[in-house]
Amino acid sequence: MRWSHLSAQPGDGSLPDRAAPAAPPLPLALPGATVRRFDTPGFAGMTFYEIHAKSLINRVPGTSRVPFEWTVNPYRGCSHACTYCLAGDTPILLADGSTRPLAQIRPGDAVMGTMGAGAHRRCVPTTVLDHWETTKPAFRVTLADGTRLVSSGDHRFLTDRGWRHVSPAEPHQPALAVGDLMFGVGHFAEPPKESPDYQSGFVCGLIRGDASGPGVAAEGDAWVRADGYLDDVSLTEAVRWPELPTSDWFRGFLAGAFGAVGRTDRLAVVLESTDVGYLRWIVHALTHLGLVARGPGPVRPGATGRVETERHLDAALRFRHLTGASMGPLDASGVGVRGERRLAVADIEELGLTLPLFDISTGTGDFIADGVVSHNCFARKTHTYLDLDAGHDFDSRVLVKVNSGELIRRELADPRWAGAPIAMGTNVDVYQRAEGRYRLMPEILAALRDHANPFSILTKGTLILRDLDLLRQAAEVTRVGLAVSVGFVDETVWRSAEPGTPSPGRRLEVVRRLTDAGFAVTVLMAPILPGLTDTDESIEETVAAIASAGAVGVTPLALHLRPGAREWYAAWIGREHPHLRPRYRELYGNGSYLPRAYQDEIAARVRMASRRHGLHRSPAATGTHRPTGGTPASRPVHDQLTLL
């Protein structure tokens, strides 16, 4: 389905007031579209395309493996998801050890990401998949070492307590706090300015090193730079030792010295010379710039002495960035990143400004921004049929069918409509955050009630409780099936895998409230994540919590990895649980579904746990008349739920 097939022609003049016509360019043609951007923090950076759709009740393709034929989706895209963004001048660590402002990063660039979990996270090169700009309220995070990061409130940083949002819009999202330790290497040094002092120091380090090095220095970039500098500085003056060297001189001197006598040994910078006095100047320069120098120690006359920096990533990056030396690519793959006291959060402040901010998506799902590990948005495929991208657009460009109530009444009244059950919440959640503003569901529910048309709703949201009275009224005249998705109750896994959704505890409270209202609520235990939530302990704990909440049944659905979700989930597993990668390759291969034998085993284990907790009875067996049926979760199925 494309935009041109989705929207009706303009002309009825019924779009909401105070909405400005959408200005081009838009994805393809969207006749009569209206664009809204709300100033409230929960919707900052999001665009809602309000259209008059041609239809609302959609037939599910015959090739689909879901057990229902008709569905209603008043939204395309999901406002559950967050955008995570930083100021455009934030330096991003490239895979070769250099940095570039975030605003200048482009898809295809090689940057440094991380993989692993907790204290075992390590650097790996990764590729930028997408890059975008948005405008959002800005916050400033200050660390103990003086690092200042400007970001949106939704941006996540890696800390000793896991991923933390700077100032989350949703109360259930984990928030960054003063005292949290960030992971990384600390503030990137500012590159040197090629001042006269820097140029003089460069020439001095290069010429004196060439005269005292262990061998003949090769012609290269350093000599080309020196030739250019000699147009502005005197060679005679440059090779003299200065009485009061400046920081610029020290930076230039080390860059020149590296060009003459330097090399890298993994993360260490090694400089060798037969001139002990020259080596002492190198030590003096390194110490002045805050780098630890090892050596030269005693050097016999005519022998070669050696000075080297510490062998860790912080020192390697600091030397490169401070000196501007011409060096080969940094080999940092596999190097660990840690949380340190100097990276403790000292302050979090709202700037009171709405600023242009940027974000990227990468193969590892993260990147290193000004020395700390930052989370990025993950890509999904579900928006591509609208000619929007699968990552940022899914989260920030939501299509809203504002005439949903009018459409469903017209379609239900059509003589050709046979009154088949309609499933809602099967693609994107009809009770996502945007529903709190647009209120499309009350009109849809009222129409289904008035036409006595059976329907079901599957949701992860809590907003369904707002429409409890309408659900009761509909249940008096037709079958109403309600299902809530709770795949597991482990909050550590939830915070990592489903950070944009209400917590499992809040979803179970929805089950309890709906049950108290007289509904027979089924729970989709979905998605069950291989290697994470498929253990006997996790299944038992989850089924027990579902039973305690009052559910009348539970249906297990294992993880389905469709294109788009597959790529994101693979990156997430590699980053958070790398030991599981071989198992996932074995289970999924190149497909989207788990082997039937694995699905049957999961179903059997959940069924046994359900019997232990009294969830094997049918709703009728409870002795209480409740509205039942219609939900895809209310009958046994072997299809798998997609994570996204």
Side-chain angles (χ1 to χ4, degrees):
M1 181 182 292
R2 300 289 174 179
W3 290 87
S4 57
H5 298 130
L6 192 64
S7 58
Q9 292 297 319
D12 59 8
S14 60
L15 286 177
D17 295 334
R18 302 184 305 279
L26 284 172
L28 295 184
L30 193 56
T34 300
V35 65
R36 281 184 185 269
R37 296 183 180 88
F38 303 115
D39 294 332
T40 52
F43 296 110
M46 298 189 66
T47 301
F48 294 88
Y49 295 99
E50 300 173 348
I51 71 160
H52 276 209
K54 288 182 178 180
S55 63
L56 191 69
I57 302 176
N58 299 310
R59 183 189 292 272
V60 177
T63 56
S64 176
R65 298 174 66 172
V66 296
F68 48 88
E69 186 179 2
W70 300 95
T71 184
V72 161
N73 291 298
Y75 301 96
R76 298 293 189 187
C78 187
S79 56
H80 273 324
C82 299
T83 53
Y84 312 93
C85 34
L86 292 164
D89 60 353
T90 306
I92 305 303
L93 183 62
L94 303 185
D96 64 1
S98 62
T99 66
R100 188 183 304 161
L102 177 56
Q104 298 176 18
I105 298 290
R106 294 293 178 264
D109 287 343
V111 299
M112 193 66 74
T114 71
M115 295 188 75
H120 304 291
R121 191 171 293 271
R122 298 186 177 279
C123 292
V124 293
T126 187
T127 302
V128 175
L129 305 176
D130 200 2
H131 177 275
W132 57 86
E133 178 180 0
T134 187
T135 301
K136 304 191 74 173
F139 292 75
R140 180 165 55 214
V141 178
T142 303
L143 306 186
D145 71 347
T147 301
R148 288 181 172 85
L149 297 147
V150 175
S151 76
S152 70
D154 284 331
H155 192 81
R156 280 188 286 172
F157 292 104
L158 183 63
T159 74
D160 57 335
R161 296 192 299 141
W163 292 104
R164 296 278 150 175
H165 298 261
V166 172
S167 180
E170 298 291 333
H172 64 272
Q173 294 173 333
L176 192 68
V178 172
D180 284 344
L181 301 184
M182 288 197 184
F183 275 62
V185 296
H187 178 61
F188 294 144
E190 294 290 333
K193 297 179 175 62
E194 295 193 354
S195 64
D197 278 358
Y198 178 90
Q199 293 175 341
S200 293
F202 187 95
V203 172
C204 181
L206 183 67
I207 299 298
R208 285 185 174 274
D210 183 49
S212 63
V216 179
E219 297 289 334
D221 291 343
W223 293 97
V224 174
R225 290 175 66 181
D227 286 341
Y229 294 161
L230 289 175
D231 292 338
D232 300 312
V233 300
S234 163
L235 176 60
T236 302
E237 294 294 325
V239 295
R240 294 176 180 172
W241 296 118
E243 294 183 7
L244 296 172
T246 64
S247 290
D248 279 359
W249 187 92
F250 280 129
R251 291 187 183 207
F253 174 73
L254 288 175
F258 184 85
V261 301
R263 59 183 174 85
T264 57
D265 183 4
R266 184 61 162 153
L267 295 179
V269 176
V270 179
L271 302 110
E272 297 175 317
S273 173
T274 58
D275 185 337
V276 176
Y278 179 72
L279 292 175
R280 287 173 181 161
W281 272 95
I282 290 175
V283 172
H284 185 27
L286 290 170
T287 304
H288 178 86
L289 296 178
L291 289 163
V292 175
R294 294 176 174 171
V299 180
R300 298 190 308 273
T304 299
R306 170 181 172 135
V307 175
E308 66 177 57
T309 62
E310 291 180 297
R311 293 175 177 269
H312 57 71
L313 183 58
D314 185 13
L317 292 173
R318 190 165 178 79
F319 183 92
R320 286 169 176 266
H321 299 163
L322 280 171
T323 67
S326 300
M327 307 174 72
L330 177 66
D331 180 13
S333 183
V335 174
V337 290
R338 307 180 300 273
E340 300 183 10
R341 293 305 320 171
R342 63 192 176 91
L343 301 183
V345 176
D347 191 26
I348 305 170
E349 55 185 320
E350 187 172 2
L351 296 181
L353 300 171
T354 298
L355 299 176
L357 300 171
F358 298 81
D359 196 13
I360 57 177
S361 62
T362 70
T364 59
D366 65 359
F367 55 99
I368 299 178
D370 207 1
V372 295
V373 180
S374 296
H375 200 284
N376 65 216
C377 285
F378 35 78
R380 278 140 293 180
K381 209 71 174 175
T382 57
H383 234 33
T384 55
Y385 64 93
L386 296 177
D387 294 306
L388 296 172
D389 72 61
H392 179 59
D393 283 347
F394 180 87
D395 297 339
S396 63
R397 293 175 134 189
V398 177
L399 181 67
V400 184
K401 302 174 186 178
V402 293
N403 61 333
S404 292
E406 170 194 337
L407 273 178
I408 196 165
R409 284 191 178 276
R410 187 177 71 204
E411 293 173 345
L412 291 174
D414 191 315
R416 293 171 295 178
W417 177 250
I422 292 174
M424 292 180 282
T426 58
N427 185 16
V428 295
D429 201 331
V430 294
Y431 282 108
Q432 60 178 279
R433 287 186 296 126
E435 170 60 18
R437 178 173 290 272
Y438 281 100
R439 299 183 63 87
L440 300 181
M441 284 302 294
E443 295 184 67
I444 293 172
L445 294 177
L448 291 165
R449 174 202 63 195
D450 293 347
H451 287 269
N453 200 104
F455 64 89
S456 66
I457 298 174
L458 167 63
T459 184
K460 288 184 179 181
T462 59
L463 193 56
I464 188 174
L465 296 175
R466 179 201 64 189
D467 296 338
L468 194 51
D469 286 343
L470 277 168
L471 292 169
R472 283 196 189 102
Q473 294 167 22
E476 294 297 323
V477 297
T478 189
R479 290 179 291 114
V480 176
L482 300 181
V484 177
S485 175
V486 183
F488 42 83
V489 293
D490 187 322
E491 295 219 348
T492 301
V493 177
W494 161 68
R495 287 191 182 97
S496 181
E498 297 182 336
T501 63
S503 69
R506 291 180 68 199
R507 283 181 253 169
L508 289 170
E509 179 60 25
V510 170
V511 175
R512 191 171 291 108
R513 292 275 303 277
L514 293 174
T515 298
D516 291 344
F519 286 92
V521 184
T522 304
V523 170
L524 262 72
M525 191 170 162
I528 295 175
L529 308 178
L532 295 174
T533 63
D534 62 348
T535 64
D536 289 339
E537 295 78 11
S538 177
I539 290 173
E540 186 72 21
E541 184 181 14
T542 303
V543 171
I546 292 169
S548 179
V552 299
V554 57
T555 299
L557 296 177
L559 178 65
H560 163 212
L561 291 175
R562 62 188 177 193
R566 181 187 181 92
E567 289 77 13
W568 170 77
Y569 191 80
W572 181 79
I573 280 290
R575 184 172 67 253
E576 301 293 338
H577 307 283
H579 64 286
L580 291 177
R581 283 182 293 177
R583 181 176 180 184
Y584 273 82
R585 282 195 294 267
E586 178 184 354
L587 286 173
Y588 287 93
N590 295 320
S592 298
Y593 292 91
L594 286 161
R596 175 64 63 188
Y598 176 92
Q599 296 182 56
D600 290 343
E601 177 191 345
I602 289 293
R605 289 161 61 199
V606 172
R607 187 164 56 249
M608 292 171 63
S610 298
R611 294 185 67 86
R612 287 193 293 271
H613 293 281
L615 286 175
H616 63 288
R617 295 171 296 171
S618 67
T622 64
T624 303
H625 176 69
R626 295 178 176 183
T628 61
T631 174
S634 64
R635 49 183 169 266
V637 292
H638 290 287
D639 299 290
Q640 301 174 58
L641 186 71
T642 179
L643 184 66
L644 299 173

